[in-house]
Amino acid sequence: MKRLYSNLTVQVLTAIALGVLVGALFPAFGAALKPLADTFISLIKMLIAPIIFLTVVLGIAGMGSLKKVGRVGGKALLYFEIVTTLALGIGVLVANLTQPGAGVQATAQAVLQDSKQTAEAAKYTSQAGDMNWVEFFTHIVPDNVIGAFAEGDILQVLLFSVLFGLSVNHMGAHGQPLMRTFDRLSHAMFGVLAMVMKLAPIGAFGGMAFTIGKYGLATLLPLGKLMLVVYATMFLFIFGVLNLILRYYNLRLWPYLTFIKEEILLVLGTSSSESALPRMIDKMERYGCSRSVAGLVIPTGYSFNLDGTSIYLSIAVIFLAQAFNIPLSLTQQLTLIAILVVTSKGAAGVTGSGFIVLASTLAATKVIPVESVALLLGVDRFMSEARAITNVIGNGIATLVIAKSEGEFDENRHQLALQGRSVPEELQPEPAAMLPRVERPAPASIDSE
């Protein structure tokens, strides 16, 4: 019984259930618990930048061939574009077939007449007006490297990490003392992460209590069909499209989902995919991917491989068109997908990113009034969990695909993971990264997941 209670999965599940109960029975108190979730997410965020830096530098320096670094990055970006475009197309198709916006016209008009919600929508509209793909790509280059780390800008940190890793790679043997130091720092950072994760149940409890307490379950009723369609589409995308991708590479979906169950539950409780980012890098390494591939693909995917966000955006736009009786031709819908391919990439690391990207898309198409996003304000928080979970699952699968295609997948480590006895790459007899490892005593027992 004690062993069961000490399991992180059980603790997070219990915390989520208690959060729902507290939010439903004591709404005001539940809404006041938001700082618990925010503080936990901040603890995770403070580790993201250094972990990405150390992991990417160690991975690229250990690849040996710079040509290989470019090939891995190119494959990852190509995969991201194909899969996210497919997700967008599926979202548009499902929204047209299910018509989730039919029957909510009265609610839509009432929402637009609510001055408070319209003002809230206007805030997102003003933010969206400044978003464009040129600004997005130029923003990747930081004005100040220290500032990029301080602000936790994933793309900027990733760019600097790649450049630094390439430089150390070019140093050859002269860079090995630095790599040994980075290796020790990497272990220390993951040690800090392990301590922070002990607070995951508290963060999940606070996040769920806030969501239920502030918005209430009654908020779901008018837009229940939309929520059902979004959740069902993401479920089908994961167990249909992503499952088939894994099958093609001789991998199975369910064992993978079981292996990252703690990360899935963490995202469910906090509604933040960033809360699982550092752990996903470590988990993918334990599941068989090389450190170099996991360290490069996972952080990049958080900006370019947003499957859940893509599905939500495409369904939401069609839903708003239906709710406000605005017919969209096939050409307009194809144009919509093309614009979403670009604007969805701006969803990384931006507060309220779903609304900002949605508003920017509506502003670009000029077909649906941008103020209509106010209709989604009440239920967006409930759908953010589905978006974040799908994003996390999709990024892990992208890492597996790239690792398999590059021959950077360790089947022995994979089998250990399936048996619940996974060990990180650096404890393997023959590490994938071609760099000297720090001597350390053999572990008394293999870590259990």
Side-chain angles (χ1 to χ4, degrees), residues 383-403:
M383 292 188 285
S384 64
E385 289 94 346
R387 295 198 301 263
I389 289 173
T390 306
N391 290 341
V392 167
I393 293 172
N395 282 326
I397 290 176
T399 307
L400 292 172
V401 168
I402 304 303

Side-chain angles (χ1 to χ4, degrees), residues 12-189:
V12 173
L13 273 174
T14 304
I16 290 174
L18 289 174
V20 172
L21 192 63
V22 169
L25 297 179
F26 310 101
F29 178 67
L33 294 178
K34 187 174 186 287
L36 292 179
D38 291 344
T39 302
F40 174 73
I41 293 174
S42 295
L43 284 170
I44 294 291
K45 284 184 175 181
M46 79 176 181
L47 297 171
I48 290 176
I51 284 179
I52 287 177
F53 174 72
L54 293 169
T55 306
V56 171
V57 170
L58 286 168
I60 290 179
M63 277 189 179
S65 169
L66 296 183
K67 187 177 181 181
K68 183 178 179 181
V69 177
R71 188 172 67 244
V72 170
K75 278 186 178 180
L77 291 175
L78 178 62
Y79 174 89
F80 295 159
E81 286 305 316
I82 293 173
V83 176
T84 53
T85 302
L86 182 61
L88 288 167
I90 290 174
V92 170
L93 177 63
V94 171
N96 278 287
L97 291 175
T98 58
Q99 298 284 311
V104 296
Q105 284 79 9
T107 304
Q109 294 301 324
V111 165
L112 277 186
Q113 292 171 6
D114 189 314
S115 59
K116 182 180 178 181
Q117 288 190 312
T118 303
E120 188 74 10
K123 180 186 74 172
Y124 293 110
T125 303
S126 63
Q127 290 176 306
D130 297 328
M131 287 185 60
N132 58 70
W133 66 271
V134 174
E135 180 182 342
F136 172 72
F137 283 109
T138 55
H139 179 71
I140 294 175
V141 181
D143 295 326
N144 185 306
V145 171
I146 304 301
F149 277 84
E151 295 173 9
D153 193 307
I154 295 176
L155 274 182
Q156 292 184 351
V157 171
L158 181 61
L159 174 65
F160 177 73
S161 303
V162 170
L163 295 176
F164 195 93
L166 292 173
S167 177
V168 175
N169 183 298
H170 187 68
M171 292 171 65
H174 295 291
Q176 294 309 319
L178 183 60
M179 298 308 297
R180 283 191 286 269
T181 300
F182 279 11
D183 193 53
R184 293 187 181 98
L185 286 173
S186 177
H187 283 83
M189 283 296 173

Side-chain angles (χ1 to χ4, degrees), residues 62-390:
M63 277 189 179
S65 169
L66 296 183
K67 187 177 181 181
K68 183 178 179 181
V69 177
R71 188 172 67 244
V72 170
K75 278 186 178 180
L77 291 175
L78 178 62
Y79 174 89
F80 295 159
E81 286 305 316
I82 293 173
V83 176
T84 53
T85 302
L86 182 61
L88 288 167
I90 290 174
V92 170
L93 177 63
V94 171
N96 278 287
L97 291 175
T98 58
Q99 298 284 311
V104 296
Q105 284 79 9
T107 304
Q109 294 301 324
V111 165
L112 277 186
Q113 292 171 6
D114 189 314
S115 59
K116 182 180 178 181
Q117 288 190 312
T118 303
E120 188 74 10
K123 180 186 74 172
Y124 293 110
T125 303
S126 63
Q127 290 176 306
D130 297 328
M131 287 185 60
N132 58 70
W133 66 271
V134 174
E135 180 182 342
F136 172 72
F137 283 109
T138 55
H139 179 71
I140 294 175
V141 181
D143 295 326
N144 185 306
V145 171
I146 304 301
F149 277 84
E151 295 173 9
D153 193 307
I154 295 176
L155 274 182
Q156 292 184 351
V157 171
L158 181 61
L159 174 65
F160 177 73
S161 303
V162 170
L163 295 176
F164 195 93
L166 292 173
S167 177
V168 175
N169 183 298
H170 187 68
M171 292 171 65
H174 295 291
Q176 294 309 319
L178 183 60
M179 298 308 297
R180 283 191 286 269
T181 300
F182 279 11
D183 193 53
R184 293 187 181 98
L185 286 173
S186 177
H187 283 83
M189 283 296 173
F190 278 106
V192 175
L193 177 63
M195 290 187 282
V196 170
M197 286 305 298
K198 295 184 183 298
L199 301 175
I202 297 176
F205 168 74
M208 193 56 68
F210 163 74
T211 300
I212 302 300
K214 181 174 177 61
Y215 298 103
L217 295 175
T219 312
L220 310 181
L221 296 179
L223 305 177
K225 187 176 180 181
L226 171 64
M227 287 195 59
L228 181 62
V229 169
V230 169
Y231 272 82
T233 304
M234 293 185 186
F235 180 87
L236 292 174
F237 182 80
I238 292 170
F239 286 90
V241 175
L242 297 184
N243 184 31
L244 289 175
I245 292 174
L246 282 182
R247 286 285 185 180
Y248 181 80
Y249 287 93
N250 296 317
L251 294 169
R252 291 179 297 155
L253 178 64
W254 190 251
Y256 160 71
L257 295 179
T258 303
F259 187 71
I260 64 167
K261 61 182 180 297
E262 291 175 354
E263 287 67 38
I264 292 175
L265 290 174
L266 181 62
V267 171
L268 174 64
T270 61
S271 297
S272 170
S273 57
E274 280 191 341
S275 63
L277 193 157
R279 290 258 301 184
M280 281 298 293
I281 295 175
D282 182 55
K283 278 294 187 76
M284 288 299 98
E285 187 181 331
R286 291 169 180 265
Y287 203 64
C289 301
S290 69
R291 169 185 287 183
S292 55
V293 171
L296 190 60
V297 176
I298 290 290
T300 309
Y302 266 69
S303 294
F304 292 96
N305 189 41
L306 305 172
D307 300 334
T309 303
S310 299
I311 291 173
Y312 166 75
L313 289 174
S314 56
I315 293 178
V317 173
I318 301 299
F319 166 81
L320 291 176
Q322 294 168 354
F324 289 91
N325 291 315
I326 302 172
L328 294 177
S329 66
L330 178 61
T331 301
Q332 287 175 315
Q333 293 189 30
L334 291 176
T335 303
L336 172 68
I337 293 177
I339 294 174
L340 282 171
V341 166
V342 177
T343 56
S344 62
K345 302 301 181 291
V350 181
T351 302
S353 59
F355 273 98
I356 295 174
V357 172
L358 179 58
S360 67
T361 303
L362 297 183
T365 56
K366 300 186 187 320
V367 175
I368 303 170
V370 182
E371 294 78 13
S372 64
V373 297
L375 181 61
L376 302 174
L377 284 172
V379 296
D380 180 74
R381 177 78 185 190
F382 291 98
M383 292 188 285
S384 64
E385 289 94 346
R387 295 198 301 263
I389 289 173
T390 306

